[in-house]
Amino acid sequence: MKEFINKNKLFLFVLLIYIFLLVFVSITRPFTQDELQSWLIARDLSPLGIIKQMKYEGHSFLWYFLLVPFAKTGCSVEIQRVIPVMSSIIAVIVLWKKSSFDNLLKILITFSSGLVYYYGNFARPYCFVIPLLFIIASIYKDKDEHPYLYAILLGILGNVHLITLPIVGILVIDYWGKYFIKGNKDNNKNKILSLLVLLFILSIILYGIIYGFFFSSIRKSSTLLDTNLIRYWPFKFIKTISTDFMLFCGYKTNIIFVIGMLIVFYLIIRSTIKDFKNSIVFWSFTLFLLLIHSLFWFSTVLRLYLIIYVLIFWYWINKDNKYLKYSIIIFILLTIPKTYNMIIDNTRYELSSSYLTTNYINNNIEKGSTIYYTEHNFYQLLT
C-alpha cells in the first residue's frame, strides 16, 4: 500500500482534489428540466411505456432503465447526481492510469469544463461518453486481442445518444471493414461473432431512431418536408456554426477567444493533413452534430463540449500528432473561464428555471388549476 501511494502521489493528490471539486459542484448545481423529466419517465411509466416514449428522445431506453430501480422504489431524485460523478471519476482514473499523456496535459483534461461540470454533474446519458471514449482508446491498439470487449464498448457508446453513431460507425468500418475487405482469416469466428454482438446492441438505439424519426416525428411534423428549410439549409447551417461558437464562449466573445479558436481550427486542419485516417472520427462526429443542430434540435453545450473529448480520443490513438496536443490545450484553456464562472454563480444565485417556475406556480396559480399547452407550442416557447 505504501509503495503504491509513493508511486502514485501526484495521481492520488489530483484525484482527491478532483473528487472534492466534483462533489461540491454537484451539490450546488440545480437540476435542469431534462434531468427531472428523465426521472419522471423512469418513475411513472412501465418498461413498455418507457420504450414507447423513446420515439421522442435521441437515445435508447437504457438510461431510463438505469434510473428505474431508484425511481420506482421511492428514492430521492438527488440519487441521480451519483451517476455522472462516478462515471467522470472512472474517466479520470482511466486517463491517468492508461494514457501516455504527460502529467500537465492529464491535469488540464482532469479539470476541463466537461469533466468538472457538464458531464461530471448533469444526470444525462452524455455523462457516459467520456469514460467510454477513454476506455475504448485505452484498448484501441489491442482490440484484436479483445474483439468482444471492443464490440460491447462500441455498442454501449452507440446507445448513449445518436450523436455518437458516427464515431461508432467509423470505428466499426476501420476494424471489421478491414476484415471483410482484406479477407483476413485470422480469428475468423471471433471477428464475425463480435460483430454480431455489436449489431445486436446497436439495434436498441437503431429501433428508436427508425421508429421515432421516420414513423412518428417526421410523419407528424413538416420540418424535414419544408421546402424552405431545404432551400435555405446552407444558411441555417452557417448560422448554427455561429450559434455553437457563441455557446463555447458563453455569448461573451472577445478578441482573445476569437484568435484562440482560429488557432485551434488551424491546428486541427494541420492535424487532419498529417493524420487524415484517424481525423475522420473527429470530423464525422463534429459535422454530424452541426447537421443535427441545424435540422432537428437546438444547440446545447451538453452536446457541443463533447467535441473536445473526441479530439482527445483522436490524440490518444495517435499521440505522435503534436498539433493535436496544442489544439487540445488551447481549446480547454479557452473554455475553462466560462465554466468556472458558472460554478461560482451557482453558489451565489438561484439559476434553476425549474425552481423559478415552481415558485411562480406556487405564488400565482391556485391549487387544482389545470394548464393546457400543446407539444408544438411548448417547443415553440423553447426556441
Side-chain angles (χ1 to χ4, degrees):
M1 184 66 178
K2 187 176 180 180
E3 183 180 353
F4 172 80
I5 293 174
N6 288 333
K7 287 183 178 180
N8 296 275
K9 282 182 179 179
L10 179 61
F11 162 62
L12 293 174
F13 178 70
V14 171
L15 183 63
L16 286 174
I17 294 176
Y18 175 72
I19 292 174
F20 175 81
L21 180 60
L22 197 61
V23 172
F24 172 78
V25 174
S26 181
I27 61 178
T28 56
R29 187 194 65 81
F31 282 119
T32 63
Q33 175 182 300
D34 284 347
E35 291 173 288
L36 297 175
Q37 174 184 288
S38 296
W39 183 264
L40 292 176
I41 289 173
R43 189 191 70 182
D44 298 338
L45 296 183
S46 65
L48 182 59
I50 292 174
I51 294 174
K52 289 181 178 179
Q53 177 68 21
M54 293 306 98
K55 62 186 178 183
Y56 302 111
E57 308 297 328
H59 44 86
S60 76
F61 53 79
L62 296 181
W63 171 256
Y64 301 91
F65 278 21
L66 180 63
L67 297 179
V68 162
F70 306 104
K72 290 193 180 298
T73 54
C75 292
S76 168
V77 68
E78 297 290 335
I79 197 72
Q80 280 193 114
R81 298 186 188 276
V82 176
I83 301 172
V85 167
M86 293 304 299
S87 65
S88 293
I89 291 173
I90 291 171
V92 168
I93 292 173
V94 174
L95 170 69
W96 279 83
K97 303 307 293 182
K98 295 296 183 179
S99 79
S100 57
F101 300 162
D102 60 71
N103 288 335
L104 182 61
L105 183 57
K106 287 180 180 178
I107 292 172
L108 200 58
I109 295 172
T110 299
F111 295 100
S112 61
S113 299
L115 282 170
V116 168
Y117 192 71
Y118 295 109
Y119 310 111
N121 285 281
F122 284 77
R124 300 289 290 145
Y126 307 108
C127 71
F128 295 129
V129 174
I130 300 177
L132 284 169
L133 281 177
F134 285 6
I135 295 171
I136 291 169
S138 71
I139 68 166
Y140 182 79
K141 292 182 178 179
D142 301 317
K143 54 185 178 293
D144 281 329
E145 300 175 16
H146 311 285
Y148 292 102
L149 175 61
Y150 191 61
I152 291 170
L153 289 170
L154 288 179
I156 296 173
L157 179 63
N159 274 280
V160 169
H161 200 282
L162 69 86
I163 61 172
T164 62
L165 289 178
I167 301 173
V168 174
I170 296 300
L171 293 177
V172 168
I173 293 171
D174 175 58
Y175 183 55
W176 283 275
K178 285 180 183 177
Y179 165 75
F180 289 108
I181 292 172
K182 294 182 178 180
N184 190 346
K185 300 302 179 182
D186 295 337
N187 297 322
N188 189 344
K189 182 179 178 181
N190 288 336
K191 287 283 179 66
I192 294 175
L193 289 179
S194 61
L195 178 60
L196 291 176
V197 170
L198 171 64
L199 293 176
F200 172 75
I201 299 173
L202 286 179
S203 66
I204 299 173
I205 182 73
L206 292 176
Y207 160 80
I209 295 172
I210 294 170
Y211 179 76
F213 257 41
F214 293 95
F215 294 99
S216 177
S217 301
I218 291 177
R219 186 179 62 188
K220 294 180 180 179
S221 170
S222 60
T223 301
L224 289 181
L225 304 178
D226 188 344
T227 55
N228 286 328
L229 176 63
I230 297 172
R231 185 184 308 166
Y232 297 111
W233 174 78
F235 301 100
K236 193 170 189 308
F237 186 77
I238 294 172
K239 183 181 178 182
T240 299
I241 294 175
S242 174
T243 301
D244 289 358
F245 175 82
M246 296 295 284
L247 278 175
F248 270 122
C249 63
Y251 290 96
K252 294 179 180 178
T253 52
N254 56 60
I255 191 64
I256 295 176
F257 187 89
V258 173
I259 293 174
M261 288 302 289
L262 288 174
I263 294 173
V264 169
F265 184 72
Y266 167 77
L267 291 171
I268 292 174
I269 295 299
R270 289 294 301 268
S271 300
T272 301
I273 295 171
K274 185 176 181 180
D275 182 27
F276 180 75
K277 174 179 171 287
N278 290 317
S279 74
I280 297 174
V281 172
F282 171 79
W283 286 112
S284 64
F285 171 80
T286 302
L287 293 175
F288 183 70
L289 182 61
L290 293 172
L291 180 69
I292 288 291
H293 283 174
S294 64
L295 285 177
F296 304 110
W297 290 326
F298 55 86
S299 299
T300 172
V301 290
L302 276 178
R303 289 189 286 269
L304 272 175
Y305 270 69
L306 287 174
I307 290 174
I308 298 174
Y309 300 93
V310 177
L311 201 61
I312 293 170
F313 174 83
W314 177 10
Y315 180 57
W316 196 319
I317 63 177
N318 184 19
K319 191 174 173 292
D320 295 330
N321 196 329
K322 63 180 181 180
Y323 298 113
L324 274 178
K325 178 181 178 180
Y326 300 145
S327 67
I328 290 167
I329 291 172
I330 297 171
F331 212 154
I332 291 175
L333 289 175
L334 286 172
T335 53
I336 276 180
K338 170 203 167 185
T339 302
Y340 281 80
N341 281 335
M342 291 178 65
I343 292 172
I344 294 170
D345 286 345
N346 279 334
T347 63
R348 298 170 59 191
Y349 311 109
E350 180 50 69
L351 303 175
S352 168
S353 59
S354 302
Y355 176 85
L356 297 174
T357 302
T358 302
N359 275 350
Y360 179 85
I361 291 173
N362 288 336
N363 296 331
N364 297 278
I365 299 177
E366 294 182 3
K367 289 184 178 180
S369 299
T370 303
I371 301 174
Y372 294 95
Y373 66 87
T374 65
E375 182 181 2
H376 176 73
N377 288 335
F378 176 66
Y379 281 103
Q380 247 187 354
L381 177 65
L382 288 179
T383 55

